[in-house]
Amino acid sequence: MNARETPASASRVTMIDIARHAGVSKSTVSLVLQASPLVKAETRDKVNAAIEALGYVYNRGAANLRGSRSNIVGMVINDLANPFFAELAVGIERVFHAAGYIPFIANTIENAKRQSEVLRSMSEHDIAGLIICPARGTRPADIEALAQIGVPTVLAMRRLAGPKFSSVTPDNLRGARRATEHLIALGHRRIAFFGGYSDMIAQNDRCGGYQAALAAADIPFDRSLVIEGPPNRDCGLNAIGHVLDMAEPATAALCFNDVVAFGVLSGLERRGLAAGRDFALVGFDDVAEARHTNPPLTTVHVDTGALGERAAHQVLRMIHGDTRPEEFVSDVDLVVRASCGATSGREA
């Protein structure tokens, strides 16, 4: 028998068999079969050699039929432990359910490598579209690869540099600036910024709004008051201790998100201090828990559910053939509660 198997045996050969024979992933085999330009010539030759050796026959008609019937959409979330992203997912699911699509959700825990694995797996299962909350370290090329194989993709909450991708985000810069202006109006001059990393566009925008408000008020920017870290409670807990122990302590802080602010509340309590009385505190996102903390958290309100719905509608539009990129930025406002030491209310 020569290297090429008989048609009977060929019918049992799968893409996984080809991948093993060529020493590549199943997704790479899929890209070769779709004539994707993303595969290197050397790798493509290896895959084609394996196809020839095993006698695999690609049923393109069946593949297209599977794709046209797919009613599964992917939601790739960077941090489901953050209640903000859980609320976002609810808004996304609401629209997809009404449109007859089944959402499949994955949590990447801010790990770009895990995200790549999830995206590869989802692309192999003929999903109709994707909404991605990019993990820290996501490269634009990772998203471009999805576009190359025709997967309608929308970014939620975090933009990426480089090519224009469809996205939905809050007005991070304006929200942070408004929050910082509020703290300045309350008389604070030593205002800190807690959370996030400088290689995150959302952090750049929020920290940029904070710096813009300081500059407008002729308050010198002190880099030592910007404490970077993962946007979680531990970051807030550690950051508040750091700025309170300075020779000239901060008297107020804007946090990258509400979860960081929750950590600050815990740190203040451990020192026998209280937000709103001893330290002015503002969060960002306005998750449901923010109004139930002690004291209730002043925060920048983001209409999370509406953003999720907008992202889902963008994907549906792309599924139906309108592939023009759309960058949607939602308005935000400041919800004033007791944690900043001011009278409660809502400010545009």
Side-chain angles (χ1 to χ4, degrees):
M1 184 182 296
N2 59 29
R4 185 175 177 87
E5 298 188 20
T6 66
S9 62
S11 67
R12 295 191 296 270
V13 177
T14 67
M15 280 198 288
I16 294 176
D17 297 324
I18 300 300
R20 288 172 179 164
H21 192 280
V24 299
S25 68
K26 180 185 173 185
S27 60
T28 299
V29 175
S30 178
L31 289 172
V32 171
L33 292 171
Q34 296 173 63
S36 170
L38 298 177
V39 183
K40 294 180 181 178
E42 179 183 354
T43 303
R44 184 164 49 250
D45 290 344
K46 285 170 59 178
V47 172
N48 284 329
I51 289 171
E52 177 66 22
L54 298 181
Y56 176 77
V57 177
Y58 179 46
N59 188 338
R60 187 175 300 276
N64 290 339
L65 185 60
R66 286 195 302 272
S68 66
R69 289 180 174 176
S70 174
N71 68 337
I72 298 174
V73 288
M75 295 190 297
V76 182
I77 309 296
N78 59 296
D79 183 13
L80 276 175
N82 182 338
F84 176 85
F85 290 105
E87 293 173 17
L88 181 78
V90 169
I92 294 170
E93 193 277 338
R94 187 160 48 234
V95 171
F96 283 144
H97 177 76
Y101 286 83
I102 301 170
F104 181 82
I105 193 166
N107 181 23
T108 63
I109 56 174
E110 285 289 11
N111 186 309
K113 181 178 179 182
R114 178 183 175 92
Q115 177 180 270
S116 294
E117 294 169 352
V118 167
L119 293 178
R120 182 170 63 249
S121 176
M122 285 189 173
S123 65
E124 290 171 357
H125 286 83
D126 297 321
I127 56 172
L130 267 172
I131 294 176
I132 305 172
C133 300
R136 182 187 174 205
T138 300
R139 303 169 302 170
D142 298 332
I143 310 303
E144 286 181 300
L146 294 169
Q148 289 285 347
I149 61 175
V151 179
T153 302
V154 171
L155 306 182
M157 303 316 301
R158 294 179 179 177
R159 297 178 292 112
L160 292 178
K164 287 188 178 295
F165 303 108
S166 288
S167 62
V168 294
T169 59
D171 194 337
N172 290 312
L173 194 149
R174 181 179 182 274
R177 178 165 184 163
R178 183 67 197 90
T180 308
E181 288 171 345
H182 179 72
L183 291 172
I184 293 169
L186 293 175
H188 297 281
R189 293 297 180 270
R190 293 284 289 171
I191 303 171
F193 183 95
F194 299 154
Y197 294 98
S198 59
D199 60 357
M200 298 163 56
I201 290 181
Q203 198 268 7
N204 286 178
D205 288 346
R206 293 181 184 184
C207 193
Y210 153 80
Q211 292 181 52
L214 295 179
D218 293 322
I219 299 174
F221 170 60
D222 184 347
R223 183 160 294 279
S224 69
L225 290 175
V226 176
I227 311 297
E228 293 189 11
N232 58 29
R233 292 175 189 254
D234 286 343
C235 174
L237 180 64
N238 295 329
I240 185 61
H242 179 79
V243 300
L244 289 179
D245 290 339
M246 288 179 167
E248 189 179 354
T251 62
L254 168 63
C255 294
F256 176 77
N257 63 18
D258 289 345
V259 176
V260 172
F262 297 156
V264 174
L265 289 173
S266 296
L268 289 168
E269 184 178 11
R270 291 184 185 187
R271 287 177 173 243
L273 304 175
R277 183 191 69 199
D278 306 300
F279 190 89
L281 181 64
V282 180
F284 204 115
D285 289 340
D286 196 20
V287 299
E289 187 181 348
R291 66 183 69 95
H292 301 298
T293 56
N294 185 24
L297 182 66
T298 296
T299 183
V300 177
H301 174 76
V302 177
D303 192 341
T304 319
L307 274 175
E309 292 176 359
R310 180 79 183 213
H313 282 301
Q314 280 194 14
V315 169
L316 292 175
R317 175 177 57 78
M318 296 171 74
I319 289 173
H320 290 97
D322 186 353
T323 58
R324 294 170 298 172
E326 177 188 2
E327 293 183 325
F328 175 76
V329 179
S330 74
D331 199 8
V332 295
D333 55 12
L334 183 67
V335 179
V336 178
R337 301 188 181 106
S339 72
C340 66
T343 304
S344 296
R346 201 176 187 103
E347 301 182 11

